[in-house]
Amino acid sequence: MIDSLVESTPKTTSATPAAPAASRPPSTLPTLNDDGSRRWIKPKPAFGRFWSRRRAVAYFLIALFTLIPYLSLNGKPFVLLDMPARRFTIAGFTFLPTDTLLLALFMLGVFVTVFLMTALAGRVWCGWACPQTVYLEFVYRPIERLFEGTPGRVSTSRFVGSPQAKVLKFITYFAISCYLAHTFLSYFVGVEQLRHWITGSPADHPVGFGVMAATTALMMFDFSYFREQACLVACPYGRFQSVMLDRKSLIVSYDARRGEPRGRKHAKSARHTGAAPDLALPVLATVGGTGGAAPASGGDCVDCKQCVQCCPTGIDIRNGLQMECVNCTQCIDACDSVMDKLGKPRGLIRYSSQDALAGERVRLLRPRVVLYPTLLTIIATAFTLVLLTKQEADLTMFRGRGAPFYQIEPGRIANPISIKLQNRRDEPVTFTLSPITEGGNDGLELRTESLKVTVAGGEIKAVPGLLVIGQDKFVRGKVQAKVKVTTPRGFADEAKFEMMGPGNMHAAPVGEIKP
């Protein structure tokens, strides 16, 4: 990997050859000028085969993002992340805060999937499916080109590029940002609640209005100002790729063996003339060389810099694998277009691997490509088993506050407890509580306000109470107790609790303690 970045050239093509890369002062980021000021990147779009495919994928993802809040499955929203109620509905299943094992398995599966996709196809997520790339390249930048013109093309319209056009551009940005903010908010409150908020006064829902306004402001800031710096500065994915990629991973790369030494040639194509194009200017040395003239039989790269002008992060792909490359394939489309005009085969810039470019043997099967799918299969199986065996309620029993035990009657010891009942169903359920007296626990008693507790759908209710048993049941100050919970639908579960007692000592009477 090239350690230092080379400052990108201006968008206008110069008639003189550029200076060798090694002689240019390196920049910390492609979006910075030498004096530290912001270098605004306005890439010239390269319309090719990969652009068409990415655009189809982008429009599909945008439509999917818009439609998901309106979809339902099993009578539930397909996706609803209800943060205040701590209920997360995904694909018809409702997950609660107590589903820590499911959450852990899900997050682990996401990480392993990212590792696998990166090992196989590099940063395919960044270039094809990341919301930052999708909306910036296929929504906001097309609008910008509509009002300010396409870089590299002269517009005959007086309106394009005028101050009025720029104002109208930001008004359009704001309208789209509002739409995206409301769509994003519908994932957390639902479309019905969102419709009520939109048609009502902001004073009736100040928190929701504040969240929507803040989300709109963040989107305006991101897509109109921060832009590609979200990938270069804020997103950690590019920095992780050094440990997730190997030399056999698929990346967008420049074939230096074929392209170097680079130099400008006549624009007339050998395909039209039937002869090899002549050199118009001296050919430059390879990247990192000392410059100077090269033999007339130079490489295929004509140093047109189309790959630099179309890059949305402002890098030169010819400098090798770089953290800033998001694998958007724009440089491939631009280079293929130039190769077609020169009558040369495509693929000077292409999807390849470092080993393939070096002429080494390419092996699809390697340890990480076998390990990641194996781990992913194990995680997916465990997640499915835990999800399908999940019961309709959760029972947890904790020790109550205060002293661990009391003597409430002569020879009777009580332990304060708290029974937490979580109803996973959408309708109310009545739970029946009862102590289990088998296994030498004769005389175990459960005292609560009521042994029948009704819990609303999706709610959690804590029931305080006392477990009471004879003092003679304690061995070394402890005794194992159980409480059983049942419902009319046939649900049954047991909770264990280790009662504490005086052991060989007598508990001090404190009077009868009522729950």
Side-chain angles (χ1 to χ4, degrees):
M1 181 181 294
I2 302 298
D3 296 328
S4 61
L5 296 174
V6 180
E7 182 186 12
S8 300
T9 56
K11 296 182 179 302
T12 57
T13 302
S14 174
T16 58
S23 65
R24 301 176 191 168
S27 299
T28 304
L29 287 174
T31 54
L32 290 181
N33 293 314
D34 294 336
D35 59 358
S37 60
R38 170 79 178 272
R39 185 172 76 88
W40 289 92
I41 296 177
K42 295 184 178 181
K44 175 183 177 181
F47 303 106
R49 52 195 175 108
F50 285 107
W51 170 270
S52 300
R53 297 168 188 174
R54 289 177 59 228
R55 181 173 55 186
V57 172
Y59 289 163
F60 170 77
L61 293 176
I62 292 173
L64 186 64
F65 174 71
T66 304
L67 292 176
I68 281 180
Y70 296 90
L71 301 179
S72 60
L73 184 64
N74 298 331
K76 300 179 180 179
F78 192 82
V79 174
L80 179 59
L81 309 176
D82 193 347
M83 303 294 288
R86 296 182 296 176
R87 290 169 55 86
F88 311 98
T89 303
I90 302 175
F93 294 93
T94 300
F95 300 92
L96 301 175
T98 54
D99 296 325
T100 52
L101 180 58
L102 287 173
L103 177 61
L105 290 172
F106 175 76
M107 295 304 299
L108 186 60
V110 169
F111 286 130
V112 174
T113 301
V114 171
F115 295 159
L116 175 61
M117 293 302 299
T118 305
L120 291 175
R123 299 180 65 174
V124 64
W125 163 261
C126 294
W128 292 74
C130 177
Q132 175 73 19
T133 301
V134 167
Y135 284 100
L136 179 59
E137 300 301 328
F138 296 98
V139 177
Y140 284 86
R141 272 187 171 142
I143 293 174
E144 181 178 55
R145 292 193 291 268
L146 177 65
F147 290 106
E148 296 187 2
T150 301
R153 296 182 182 178
V154 178
S155 176
T156 58
S157 174
R158 294 184 178 179
F159 176 76
V160 174
S162 64
Q164 296 84 353
K166 293 183 179 180
V167 171
L168 190 57
K169 179 192 73 171
F170 283 106
I171 293 176
T172 307
Y173 278 1
F174 179 75
I176 294 177
S177 298
C178 284
Y179 168 77
L180 293 180
H182 281 85
T183 303
F184 178 75
L185 194 60
S186 66
Y187 280 79
F188 297 90
V189 301
V191 291
E192 294 300 328
Q193 182 67 27
L194 182 63
R195 184 180 294 109
H196 173 71
W197 285 1
I198 293 175
T199 57
S201 171
D204 298 334
H205 48 274
V207 176
F209 180 78
V211 171
M212 186 277 298
T215 306
T216 303
L218 287 175
M219 289 187 177
M220 279 290 295
F221 171 77
D222 180 26
F223 291 114
S224 64
Y225 177 80
F226 205 53
R227 296 197 155 191
E228 66 281 339
Q229 294 190 112
C231 304
L232 307 184
V233 179
C235 181
Y237 191 95
R239 290 163 176 80
F240 288 161
Q241 70 174 337
S242 59
V243 295
M244 292 190 292
L245 290 175
D246 58 26
R247 292 187 58 84
K248 299 175 179 60
S249 299
L250 199 63
I251 58 174
V252 173
S253 50
Y254 165 71
D255 190 348
R257 295 196 304 170
R258 172 186 162 185
E260 302 295 332
R262 70 183 72 154
R264 300 184 183 278
K265 302 176 183 180
H266 284 305
K268 182 179 289 186
S269 171
R271 181 178 56 188
H272 299 295
T273 63
D278 297 328
L279 293 177
L281 292 172
V283 182
L284 300 178
T286 57
V287 176
T290 57
S297 57
D300 284 354
C301 179
V302 297
D303 203 22
C304 63
K305 297 185 175 57
Q306 294 296 313
C307 57
V308 179
Q309 295 178 22
C310 70
C311 180
T313 57
I315 66 170
D316 190 340
I317 191 63
R318 298 172 297 178
N319 291 337
L321 180 62
Q322 298 160 76
M323 180 200 73
E324 295 83 3
C325 178
V326 295
N327 282 23
C328 69
T329 68
Q330 277 285 273
C331 54
I332 298 180
D333 286 335
C335 188
D336 285 350
S337 175
V338 174
M339 291 298 104
D340 289 343
K341 295 176 181 178
L342 293 175
K344 293 183 176 292
R346 294 181 172 186
L348 180 59
I349 301 176
R350 63 183 184 271
Y351 269 121
S352 186
S353 65
Q354 290 178 298
D355 277 355
L357 292 175
E360 301 178 10
R361 182 182 176 184
V362 179
R363 296 180 180 179
L364 296 179
L365 290 180
R366 50 195 193 272
R368 67 174 62 192
V369 175
V370 176
L371 177 61
Y372 290 154
T374 302
L375 289 176
L376 194 58
T377 302
I378 295 174
I379 294 171
T381 302
F383 182 89
T384 303
L385 290 177
V386 173
L387 181 63
L388 295 180
T389 56
K390 204 68 178 173
Q391 303 186 74
E392 66 179 45
D394 291 328
L395 168 65
T396 310
M397 189 157 56
F398 302 95
R399 192 172 302 278
R401 296 180 178 179
F405 63 89
Y406 304 95
Q407 178 177 322
I408 60 174
E409 298 170 358
R412 303 281 288 175
I413 301 298
N415 280 208
I417 62 171
S418 177
I419 302 174
K420 187 172 73 172
L421 300 171
Q422 185 170 34
N423 179 15
R424 303 182 64 87
R425 300 185 63 83
D426 294 330
E427 63 272 6
V429 174
T430 299
F431 296 89
T432 301
L433 309 176
S434 60
I436 299 178
T437 59
E438 53 189 40
N441 289 336
D442 297 339
L444 180 65
E445 182 183 0
L446 174 63
R447 297 184 183 181
T448 64
E449 291 183 357
S450 175
L451 295 179
K452 291 186 179 293
V453 181
T454 300
V455 182
E459 297 294 331
I460 301 175
K461 190 171 185 178
V463 181
L466 292 175
L467 276 177
V468 183
I469 198 170
Q471 184 174 341
D472 58 336
K473 301 294 182 179
F474 289 89
V475 177
R476 295 182 180 179
K478 298 180 180 179
V479 64
Q480 300 296 326
K482 293 182 180 180
V483 173
K484 185 176 183 179
V485 175
T486 59
T487 66
R489 295 176 55 91
F491 168 79
D493 195 9
E494 297 177 359
K496 296 181 180 180
F497 184 81
E498 185 177 71
M499 297 184 64
M500 300 179 63
N504 297 328
M505 302 174 60
H506 295 288
V510 295
E512 183 176 358
I513 306 298
K514 297 182 179 180

